[in-house]
Amino acid sequence: MDITKDISEEIVRDRTDKLQEAMRASAVDGFLLTQNIDLYYYTGSMQSGYAFFPSHGEPVFFVKRSVERAKLESGIMVKELGAFRIFGETLAKAFPHIFSGTGGKVKIAADLDVLPAQTYLKLSELLQASGPCALVDGSPIIRRQRMIKSPLEISRFEAAAITVDEALNEALNFLKPGVTELEWMARVEYELRIRGHIGLMRMRGYNQEIATGMFIAGSAAAIPTYFDGPAGGLGLGAASPQSVSRRAIERNEPILMDIGCCIDGYVIDQTRTAVIGELPEKLVHAYEVSEAIIREAERGMVPGAICSALYAKSLEQADAEGLSSHFMGFGADQAKFLGHGIGLEIDEWPVLAKGFDIPLEAGMVIAVEPKFTFPGAGVVGIENSYLITEGSPRALTFTKEGLIKLP
Amino acid sequence: MDITKDISEEIVRDRTDKLQEAMRASAVDGFLLTQNIDLYYYTGSMQSGYAFFPSHGEPVFFVKRSVERAKLESGIMVKELGAFRIFGETLAKAFPHIFSGTGGKVKIAADLDVLPAQTYLKLSELLQASGPCALVDGSPIIRRQRMIKSPLEISRFEAAAITVDEALNEALNFLKPGVTELEWMARVEYELRIRGHIGLMRMRGYNQEIATGMFIAGSAAAIPTYFDGPAGGLGLGAASPQSVSRRAIERNEPILMDIGCCIDGYVIDQTRTAVIGELPEKLVHAYEVSEAIIREAERGMVPGAICSALYAKSLEQADAEGLSSHFMGFGADQAKFLGHGIGLEIDEWPVLAKGFDIPLEAGMVIAVEPKFTFPGAGVVGIENSYLITEGSPRALTFTKEGLIKLP
C-alpha cells in the first residue's frame, strides 16, 4: 500500500509527552481518545478505534478498522480492538499500572465534548471491569494543547492559504451580475478542490457544519442563521439554512466572500468583500471600520494579550463609529466574538470572546473576522488568519486587502 | 426575509402524532430533540436549540439562534431558549403535565446516539430541577420513524437522483487516462453543486464523514479505510484517508464511481463502474456478479422480507461464485452489509446486515451496493437506491447500468 506516515514519530512522541504532562497536572490516570480528529492529532492515524494514553508509559491505539492501514499511519503502537464488550478487560490487561495499581478510583479522561452519550454510557460501564473508574471530560486538556501549533502545522496552513488565494483569484473572473451565489461558490469549490482541498471543513461544535464558507451578497447575506458566526445567508432552504442561495448577484451590493479550505487536515479562513459597481457610503464606511479593527487587532495580538480584551477593544471601536448594533451580526443574532482559533477544526481555541480570559501565546493561529451586518443591505468585513509570534502576529492569509471593486 | 416553510404544518403535525404514539408505546413522557437533523425533521427548522415533545399535547421548539428565522421555518411553536442554566425550570413551567404530574420518576428520551456526553451530563442535571428525571436514549424511536418516507421526501430523492445522473454524465466527458481521481471528482462536485447539492452529505455515525462519495480507481481503490463501507481509497493523506487521491487514472483498470448528493436535505447514493479500455476477465465476472446480486435483491425487497436475510442471500451468491472473501471489502476489512437506509442522513435505517432482523415496509428507501474488492487491482460493483413499495421496489436512481466502457 502507498501509505506513509504524514506525522513523524518524533512529533507524535512530543505530543504524547505534552499530553501526559497535562494529564498528570490534572491528576488524570489515563486519556481515552475517541474522535477521529483527536486520534489523528495524537497518533497520526484517523482509522476507527480508541487510543489510550496512560499518564506514564507507552500509549496504544486499539483499532477496529483498518488495522492494516493504522499500522502504517500511526506513530504509536497499534493493536486490534477486538470485541468491544470486553474493552474494559482489554485496557486493564494492557495497562495494569493504571487500572489495578492504586486501589482507589481510577480517573480516565475522554473527549466528552464530542463523544456521543450512548457510547459514553457504554464505555463508562465497560471501564468498571477491573474496579471503580470515573470517566471525566478531558476535552479542555486537548483543546489547550492543540492551541499551540508546530512548524509542520504552520506549513499546512500556509499551503491552505495559497490554495484559497489562487482559487479566489481564479473565481473572481466569473463574478458578474446575474451569476447566482450558488454558481459562483461551485466555481470556488472547484478551484479549491483541484488544488487538494479535502472536500470537508471539520467543526468540533455539535450541530455546526460548513461546506467551504459563506458566499453571500446583498440582502440574502444579512439573513440570520443558527451558524455561530457573524454572517448567515439565505441558504438553499430550511435543510441548508446558511451560506449560498440561488439569488443572483446584483450590482452595487456587498458581496461577502468568506472562504476556507482544508489542506492535509488544516483549515484556513479568509474573508474579502467585493462589489460590482459602487457600495453605498455607509457600507464603505463600515468596511473601512472592519479594516481599522483588524489593524488594531494586529497591534494587540502579542503574547500575553488577553483574548477577551481583544474582543472588548473591537466592540469599543465599533461603538465609537456608531456601528455596535451591526457588529458581528445584527440585533438578537449577533455573534459574540472577534476571532477563533483554527487548526484541524475550524472552531479551535482560543476564541477572542467575552469570558475567554487566557493570554495569547506564540504558536497560536487565529482567524480574526470583524464584520458588519445591515439587514436588507448585506454584510461587509474582512478576515485574516494569523500566527501569533514572539513579536507581531504573522498573517498566514495574504490575498490583497481592500474592498474589491469590479466594473 | 425570503424564508418560507419547506415542510408543511400538516406534515409536521403528522410526524408529531407518530412520534407521540411511539413515545407512549415506550412509556416515554417526553422527547428532547437536540441534533440539527432531528430538529429539522420534526419541526421543519434547523435553527439551534432544543425541541421538546411531550407524550401528549403541543411540542415547543426552544430556540437559541435564530429565533426570528425559526419562527418562519418551524411548524411547531417557537419560544426563546433563554438562559440554558434554567432550562430545566423552563421545561417544567412549559410542560407542567409532564414534569409535575405523577410524583414518580419522569422519563425523558433524547437522541443520545449523537448528543455529546458533555451536554448530556449537563442536561441530565438540569432536568432534575422539578424532581427525579431519567434521560434515556430515544434514538431507536426516531430512527424507526424516519425509515418510512413520505411523498414529499420521495420527491426530494428523485430530484437528487436526477442531479447525480446529470452530473455523472457531464463529468464522464472529462474521464481520460492521466486525469487524477481528485481532478475528476472536482468536476463531478462542480456539476452537482451548480444543480443545488448543498455541499454536505450528513452522516449520523460518530466519526463518519464523506464529501460526495468515492471516486477511486485501480489499486488505490482497494486500499482499506476506517469508513464503514465496501470501498475505501487511498485518499489525500492520513488526515483524509478515504476516497480520491492524486493518483492518475490508467487504462484497463476498474474505476469506481460511488457518488451521492444532497438536495433539499435528502441524499441519494449511486455507484457505477467504468473502465477506459478493457477490464481483466475476473473483474468483469465480479462486476457481473454484483449486477446479479442487485437483481436478486430487487426480487427479494418486498414488504415483510427480513433485512438480515437479504444480506445473507447476497453472501451466498458471492460465495457460490467463489468471491466471498472479496465481497464488500477484502479480508479483515470487509463491511458486513449489503445496503443501508438513506434519507436526511446517508446512514439511516434499515441496514441490510446480519442482526438487523426487522421486516421491510413500504416507504423505506435503501441504497443497495454489492461490490467486490481485489487488492492491487481495484473495486467493481453497482449501487442503486430503491423505494420499497407494496409490490416490487422502485429504483430511484436511473443512470444506465452495465460496465461503462470508454475508448
Side-chain angles (χ1 to χ4, degrees), chain A residues 34 49 57 98 144 192 222 238 253 271 298 334:
Chain A
T34 73
I98 300 296
R144 270 197 299 268
L192 293 169
E253 66 181 13
T271 302
E298 286 172 350
Q334 284 181 297

Side-chain angles (χ1 to χ4, degrees), chain B residues 44-61:
Chain B
S45 175
M46 211 179 257
Q47 300 306 307
S48 68
Y50 299 90
F52 187 84
F53 286 69
S55 55
H56 298 80
E58 293 302 315
V60 176
F61 187 10

Side-chain angles (χ1 to χ4, degrees), chain A residues 139-140 143-144 147 149 341-342 347-351 356 365:
Chain A
S139 60
R143 299 194 78 177
R144 270 197 299 268
M147 288 194 300
K149 270 69 179 182
I342 54 174
D347 50 351
E348 296 209 356
W349 285 3
V351 188
F356 220 96
V365 175

Side-chain angles (χ1 to χ4, degrees), chain A residues 6 34 36 47 65 69 112 115 117-118 137 189 193 202 206-207 209 224 226-227 229 233-234 238-239 333, chain B residues 6 34 36 47 65 69 112 115 117-118 137 189 193 202 206-207 209 224 226-227 229 233-234 238-239 333:
Chain A
D6 82 11
T34 73
N36 58 353
Q47 301 304 308
R65 186 180 182 197
R69 188 163 182 163
L112 299 194
L115 178 67
Q118 194 186 67
D137 185 19
E189 289 171 357
R193 190 71 157 128
R202 283 137 175 164
Y206 184 48
N207 287 339
E209 51 185 25
Y226 74 96
F227 188 77
L234 176 56
D333 293 308
Chain B
D6 82 11
T34 72
N36 57 352
Q47 300 306 307
R65 187 178 182 206
R69 188 163 183 162
L112 299 193
L115 178 68
Q118 196 186 67
D137 185 19
E189 289 171 357
R193 190 71 156 129
R202 283 136 176 167
Y206 185 48
N207 287 339
E209 52 185 24
Y226 73 96
F227 187 77
L234 177 56
D333 294 307

Side-chain angles (χ1 to χ4, degrees), chain B residues 110-241:
Chain B
D111 36 11
L112 299 193
D113 61 333
V114 286
L115 178 68
Q118 196 186 67
T119 311
Y120 157 79
L121 292 168
K122 187 68 194 169
L123 281 169
S124 295
E125 183 194 317
L126 295 176
L127 284 172
Q128 310 304 320
S130 59
C133 177
L135 188 57
V136 302
D137 185 19
S139 60
I141 292 175
I142 56 184
R143 299 194 78 179
R144 270 198 299 266
Q145 181 176 348
R146 275 173 45 192
M147 288 195 299
I148 310 299
K149 271 68 180 183
S150 67
L152 175 74
E153 294 178 285
I154 303 303
S155 71
R156 295 186 182 183
F157 286 116
E158 288 169 337
I162 292 170
T163 302
V164 160
D165 180 67
E166 290 180 357
L168 179 61
N169 287 327
E170 283 292 329
L172 278 176
N173 298 320
F174 296 87
L175 186 50
K176 302 194 166 27
V179 170
T180 69
E181 293 173 354
L182 176 63
E183 288 165 345
W184 194 77
M185 193 62 150
R187 172 59 57 170
V188 172
E189 289 171 357
Y190 174 76
E191 299 292 344
L192 293 170
R193 190 71 156 129
I194 56 170
R195 289 169 172 82
H197 169 49
I198 69 165
L200 302 165
M201 299 278 279
R202 283 136 176 167
M203 296 195 72
R204 196 168 185 94
Y206 185 48
N207 287 339
Q208 294 294 310
E209 52 185 24
I210 198 163
T212 39
M214 307 275 175
F215 175 70
I216 48 184
S219 59
I223 292 175
T225 74
Y226 73 96
F227 187 77
D228 190 15
L234 177 56
L236 291 169
S240 182

Side-chain angles (χ1 to χ4, degrees), chain A residues 70-84:
Chain A
K71 283 180 177 167
L72 298 170
E73 293 172 339
S74 174
I76 71 168
M77 184 192 294
V78 169
K79 291 186 180 176
E80 273 190 48
L81 175 62
F84 186 56

